[in-house]
Amino acid sequence: MPLPKLDTRHAFFTGKGGVGKTSLSCATGLALAEAGKRVLIVSTDPASNLDEVLGVALNQSPTEVPDAPNLWALNIDPEASAHAYRERMVGPYRGILPDAAIRSMEEQFSGACTVEIAAFDEFSKLLGDPAATQEFDHVIFDTAPTGHTLRLLTLPSAWDEFISSSTGGASCLGPLAGLEKQKALYAASVERLSNPKETTVVLVSRPERASLREAERTRAELGDLGVSNLQLVINGVFVAKEPGDAIADAMTKRAVESLSDMPAGLVSLTGSTISFLPKGTVGLEALRAMADPDELPLPLEQSLPSIDSLPGGLKQYVDELAAVGHGVIMTMGKGGVGKTSVAAAIAFNLAERGFPVILSTTDPAAHVAAAAEEGMPGLTVTKIDPAHEVHEYTEEVLAKAGKSLDAAGLAMLEEDLRSPCTEEIAVFRAFARTVDEGKGGFVVLDTAPTGHTILLLDAAEAYHREVERTQGDMPDSVKELLPRLRDKGFTHVFVVTLPEATPVHEAERLQNDLRRAGIEPYAWVINQSLLASGTRNPILMERGAYELPYIETVSQRLSSRCALIPWMEQQPVGKNGLAALVR
């Protein structure tokens, strides 16, 4: 059976968005339930599609899954939990502080770190308290906490007076001030998570280099924290049964090359492989197919929609940008959706048209470097090293704030500065410098800041408290950039996604976040569509039909401006590969 073998009562599935951790956790839970075990599946993902996969409406109490005896599931709403924490922290100050200060405090507690710690609090009630799930043989958690959250919660100083008095700290610190009563429960949860006899952590990846790199990073981070019972699942491995179809052959080749170059740390793990399933993994029959794909063949769709009815390509929007002649272009989206490739393709195309273009990226991947190496006149590629930017920012903060802290306070601040929030702010400062350098042409930003970071940096009260805590400074380039990001005539945001459930749900959350920051996306880009690829491979054609509802959701409900990029035989590397994306 290709599904992971669970010898422990608890299991966590973790991986980048869209790798299939929800469907895999459901398939594993269903297999255990059909083997006679009583199983509870728990999701803490704000973009969870657990209801859709299992075919049942869920809430925060265990709900039995129809037609699946012994299987229950529940959805924790971390957004609601984070809202409760915000209110707990901010509520006492309402009517006392000015409205502007209240809004700033609320933004301090609106980041991803706050949501993740709020989710950790919720599933700690299930993981740390055995009585809460005593009627189940297995409890499976879809979406595990990051190493940053675990480190933060295991720091003794997270529970002392330092936190209680640091309400002006970064968003990832705030919730802990209101959770001191949870200390024993948190400690039990972290201990159980790292106990190999009680908990298995399953790393889920696609057979793609970027996804495997993320899995290796997670493996190393968890290993440093003493989490040793790890397994690896490679999900969605496609191997063409018969050669001859260009798309199918290219997909097979990419998977083989990625897996042959897998990081050594992952190779050493107990692993399993799940075959590519053309109809997705929604419904119990599809989940059973993950355990044995050959046992439940899925019928081929006989009629596919006309390609003429699909959204057009990216070129129409690049033409519009060229007519403007200058400004900032940002590609935004979750990891693995191809935003770096889209940014590079737009920059390359505009440079070909004779515009001066600066492409600023945090991704050192070859397809970006190749564009510059081919000597495109007018194109300048600047590579931002997140590790370097974080180091510089951290040194600056510690030099100014560290002198006044004791050992416990310094340890807490150092952990705060290792958070994803810190990296985003540090990289954002570097982006701001790049934009400030662009005069009279285009600046294309890959991996742009989230709406939360923009609001956080733009809140005068939040910045005032940050200065008090760190004695840091906000560069003029950052101050000048923020108003520009809200200028529709100057800044154009492309939201990049894939034609699948989780990436679309996550991109919708991103769009809502941007709108909260006063930024309206210019257009959406649906990347790597098999439906638009022209493949005649039966399995891939079936997958293309599966994409249609998600393409319609984006093009008809989420945005009236939508570009569709097909899955291409040629990878987006160099002049020809990037040019193919702008059609």
Side-chain angles (χ1 to χ4, degrees):
M1 183 175 75
L3 296 176
K5 182 180 180 181
L6 300 184
D7 296 323
T8 58
R9 183 168 185 267
H10 301 99
F12 284 83
F13 287 75
T14 186
K16 294 173 74 69
V19 296
K21 53 185 178 291
T22 297
S23 55
L24 188 59
S25 61
C26 288
T28 303
L30 178 62
L32 288 169
E34 293 185 335
K37 303 293 185 180
R38 292 171 63 85
V39 181
L40 174 65
I41 301 174
V42 181
S43 177
T44 61
D45 190 341
S48 172
N49 61 330
L50 190 61
D51 308 56
E52 181 182 10
V53 171
L54 293 174
V56 59
L58 301 175
N59 52 43
Q60 300 204 71
S61 299
T63 300
E64 190 166 9
V65 178
D67 302 319
N70 298 323
L71 184 62
W72 284 259
L74 66 85
N75 250 339
I76 291 174
D77 186 349
E79 297 280 7
S81 300
H83 175 77
Y85 287 136
R86 284 195 296 271
E87 190 56 34
R88 185 184 306 174
M89 299 299 295
V90 177
Y93 298 97
R94 296 188 190 280
I96 299 175
L97 297 178
D99 290 344
I102 294 298
R103 287 194 298 271
S104 179
M105 290 178 68
E106 289 174 337
E107 185 54 42
Q108 285 281 345
F109 301 113
S110 295
C113 298
T114 300
V115 173
E116 186 178 14
I117 292 178
F120 187 86
D121 177 63
E122 292 296 330
F123 72 62
S124 285
K125 298 171 185 175
L126 301 173
L127 180 64
D129 181 5
T133 58
Q134 60 184 353
E135 68 268 33
F136 299 104
D137 299 309
H138 292 277
V139 182
I140 296 176
F141 295 90
D142 167 31
T143 307
T146 64
H148 163 65
T149 294
L150 294 176
R151 286 196 310 269
L152 186 61
L153 294 172
T154 53
L155 277 175
S157 52
W159 306 100
D160 65 16
E161 186 62 25
F162 173 75
I163 290 299
S164 299
S165 64
S166 296
T167 56
S171 60
C172 51
L173 295 180
L176 294 176
L179 299 178
E180 190 159 354
K181 295 180 181 179
Q182 302 289 82
K183 182 176 181 179
L185 181 62
Y186 274 33
S189 298
V190 173
E191 181 181 359
R192 186 156 287 123
L193 181 62
S194 59
N195 187 337
K197 296 181 179 179
E198 297 192 58
T199 301
T200 303
V201 177
V202 180
L203 307 177
V204 185
S205 176
R206 296 282 189 182
E208 303 163 357
R209 284 191 169 90
S211 184
L212 290 166
R213 284 198 303 267
E214 174 68 13
E216 169 60 15
R217 186 197 62 78
T218 302
R219 182 206 64 78
E221 192 172 48
L222 291 175
D224 291 342
L225 291 165
V227 180
S228 58
N229 189 1
L230 303 174
Q231 294 188 34
L232 174 69
V233 177
I234 308 297
N235 189 28
V237 177
F238 177 81
V239 178
K241 294 183 178 180
E242 297 182 2
D245 181 86
I247 300 298
D249 292 345
M251 187 174 292
T252 300
K253 181 181 179 181
R254 289 191 202 177
V256 170
E257 291 177 347
S258 297
L259 294 176
S260 65
D261 195 31
M262 186 186 303
L266 297 181
V267 174
S268 65
L269 297 179
T270 299
S272 56
T273 299
I274 306 293
S275 298
F276 180 92
L277 297 178
K279 293 291 287 184
T281 50
V282 174
L284 299 184
E285 291 303 302
L287 294 175
R288 293 186 180 102
M290 294 187 76
D292 190 351
D294 295 329
E295 183 177 335
L296 295 170
L298 301 173
L300 176 65
E301 290 281 351
Q302 295 301 315
S303 59
L304 294 178
S306 169
I307 292 181
D308 295 336
S309 66
L310 298 176
L314 188 58
K315 183 177 182 298
Q316 58 186 317
Y317 300 117
V318 179
D319 288 344
E320 291 180 6
L321 294 173
V324 175
H326 68 278
V328 174
I329 300 166
M330 303 196 300
T331 57
M332 304 183 70
K334 292 294 184 180
V337 297
K339 58 183 178 292
T340 300
S341 300
V342 172
I346 293 173
F348 195 92
N349 189 275
L350 289 171
E352 270 194 322
R353 300 178 189 223
F355 294 101
V357 180
I358 295 176
L359 170 62
S360 180
T361 178
T362 60
D363 189 340
H367 58 274
V368 176
E373 290 169 1
E374 292 186 20
M376 172 58 63
L379 177 64
T380 302
V381 178
T382 62
K383 299 176 185 177
I384 295 174
D385 181 356
H388 173 76
E389 296 299 332
V390 169
H391 175 75
E392 292 292 313
Y393 181 69
T394 299
E395 290 297 309
E396 176 186 329
V397 171
L398 291 176
K400 295 177 180 178
K403 297 177 182 178
S404 62
L405 299 176
D406 59 17
L410 184 61
M412 194 66 217
L413 178 59
E414 288 174 342
E415 179 53 47
D416 174 19
L417 291 169
R418 284 196 289 267
S419 80
C421 303
T422 297
E423 178 175 322
E424 188 173 36
I425 290 174
V427 170
F428 183 46
R429 284 157 50 111
F431 277 136
R433 292 196 303 269
T434 302
V435 171
D436 198 47
E437 295 173 358
K439 307 296 182 183
F442 288 100
V443 175
V444 183
L445 304 180
D446 163 40
T447 316
T450 65
H452 165 66
T453 296
I454 292 167
L455 280 174
L456 187 62
L457 290 172
D458 196 35
E461 293 79 16
Y463 171 62
H464 177 69
R465 289 197 304 277
E466 177 71 9
V467 169
E468 287 183 336
R469 183 174 73 87
T470 67
Q471 299 301 306
D473 298 309
M474 179 182 285
D476 289 340
S477 58
V478 173
K479 295 177 183 177
E480 295 170 0
L481 177 60
L482 293 175
R484 289 179 173 178
L485 298 183
R486 296 186 173 102
D487 183 349
K488 295 180 181 179
F490 187 80
T491 297
H492 301 85
V493 175
F494 288 84
V495 176
V496 186
T497 188
L498 301 176
E500 302 173 19
T502 299
V504 169
H505 296 331
E506 291 181 338
E508 182 177 9
R509 291 182 64 243
L510 171 62
Q511 176 165 267
N512 292 337
D513 198 25
L514 288 170
R515 286 173 172 170
R516 187 167 58 89
I519 299 174
E520 183 64 29
Y522 172 68
W524 281 55
V525 178
I526 305 173
N527 199 19
Q528 299 179 23
S529 169
L530 284 167
L531 180 59
S533 71
T535 180
R536 303 311 298 173
N537 178 278
I539 294 177
L540 299 186
M541 288 175 64
E542 189 123 15
R543 179 66 175 191
Y546 167 82
E547 296 175 355
L548 187 58
Y550 304 106
I551 294 174
E552 291 178 340
T553 294
V554 172
S555 62
Q556 298 178 15
R557 181 173 68 83
L558 296 177
S559 177
S560 60
R561 301 171 63 82
C562 174
L564 186 66
I565 297 178
W567 202 102
M568 296 182 179
E569 175 187 358
Q570 182 177 6
Q571 295 194 60
V573 176
K575 180 178 179 179
N576 293 333
L578 292 175
L581 297 183
V582 182
R583 291 178 175 175

